[in-house]
């Protein structure tokens, strides 16, 4: 166990040393290459910034408007009919949009129901098996200049839906 701790603490410094040594052995200007990469990174950040600001504003508006809570209340009867745990509905709507908001919702679920409860386990599995789809698509597509994301969004949202349904089914089978 001590070896694993040592290796995990030394992994990043060792990787940096290996990269520098490789660059020196190949007679490359390591620092100049690093600076070029840093410049490219800053350019990517400037290109992504407007997209991220728009996304964060939209997330803030959704959360503060109460629209998600209203939608959850409207569809709760239908989900009760199919025995889907309605306690996790807010998480299922927030998770594809915002990682930090979904962490807050999952934490609230675990506070209210407990981490070892079936609802808490389902929330944990959903958090681990789904992605912040809208954020990821916004970052990846805007970094390479893709404008038409309609089909990517639908495919990713369907994958999130399948992940959430599978999470519920697997947790029910394990209980």
């Amino acid at each position: 166990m001590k070896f694993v701790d040592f290796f995990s603490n030394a992994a990043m410094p060792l990787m940096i040393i290996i990269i520098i040594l490789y660059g020196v052995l190949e007679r490359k200007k390591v620092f100049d290459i690093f600076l070029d990469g840093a410049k490219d990174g800053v350019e990517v950040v400037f290109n992504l910034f407007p997209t991220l600001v728009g996304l964060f504003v939209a997330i803030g508006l959704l959360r503060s408007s109460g629209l998600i809570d209203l939608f959850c209340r409207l569809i709760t009867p239908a989900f009760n009919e199919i025995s889907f745990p309605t306690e996790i509905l807010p998480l299922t709507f927030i998770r594809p949009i915002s990682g930090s908001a979904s962490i807050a919702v999952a934490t609230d679920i675990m506070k209210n129901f407990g981490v070892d409860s079936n609802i808490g386990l389902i929330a944990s599995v959903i958090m681990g098996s789904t992605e912040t789809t809208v954020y990821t698509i916004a970052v990846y597509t805007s970094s390479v200049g893709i404008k038409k994301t309609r089909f990517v969004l639908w495919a990713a949202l369907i994958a999130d839906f399948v992940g959430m349904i599978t999470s519920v089914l697997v947790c029910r089978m394990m209980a």
Side-chain angles (χ1 to χ4, degrees):
M1 192 62 173
K2 288 184 181 183
F3 174 74
V4 173
D5 288 337
F6 172 76
F7 187 74
S8 65
N9 289 331
M12 284 306 294
L14 281 174
M15 186 61 85
I16 292 169
I17 290 170
I18 289 169
I19 290 170
I20 291 172
L21 286 176
Y22 179 77
V24 170
L25 290 174
E26 291 288 318
R27 300 189 189 278
K28 304 282 184 180
K29 295 180 180 180
V30 176
F31 191 68
D32 291 341
I33 293 170
F34 169 77
L35 289 179
D36 289 340
K39 288 176 191 173
D40 291 344
V42 169
E43 185 178 319
V44 168
V45 169
F46 281 125
N47 289 338
L48 287 176
F49 192 71
T51 303
L52 294 178
V53 167
L55 186 61
F56 290 140
V57 167
I59 291 166
L61 288 172
L62 268 177
R63 288 181 69 195
S64 62
S65 70
L67 190 62
I68 291 175
D69 293 331
L70 175 67
F71 190 65
C72 287
R73 281 190 299 244
L74 289 174
I75 65 170
T76 293
F79 279 84
N80 282 336
E81 290 295 319
I82 60 171
S83 299
F84 189 89
T86 56
E87 298 86 358
I88 61 166
L89 280 178
L91 180 62
T92 62
F93 292 116
I94 292 287
R95 180 66 179 153
I97 299 170
S98 169
S100 57
S102 63
I103 289 172
V105 170
T107 302
D108 189 51
I109 288 171
M110 291 180 204
K111 250 190 252 180
N112 292 332
F113 297 97
V115 292
D116 290 336
S117 68
N118 192 36
I119 300 299
L121 292 174
I122 292 171
S124 297
V125 174
I126 286 174
M127 291 296 290
S129 62
T130 58
E131 180 60 67
T132 52
T133 303
V134 177
Y135 173 81
T136 304
I137 290 172
V139 169
Y140 289 154
T141 57
S142 68
S143 69
V144 293
I146 296 172
K147 301 287 185 213
K148 297 179 182 178
T149 61
R150 185 177 78 198
F151 297 116
V152 173
L153 180 63
W154 279 110
L157 289 175
I158 289 169
D160 278 338
F161 176 75
V162 169
M164 290 175 193
I165 297 299
T166 304
S167 298
V168 172
L169 294 174
V170 167
C171 287
R172 284 202 177 144
M173 285 190 301
M174 301 299 257

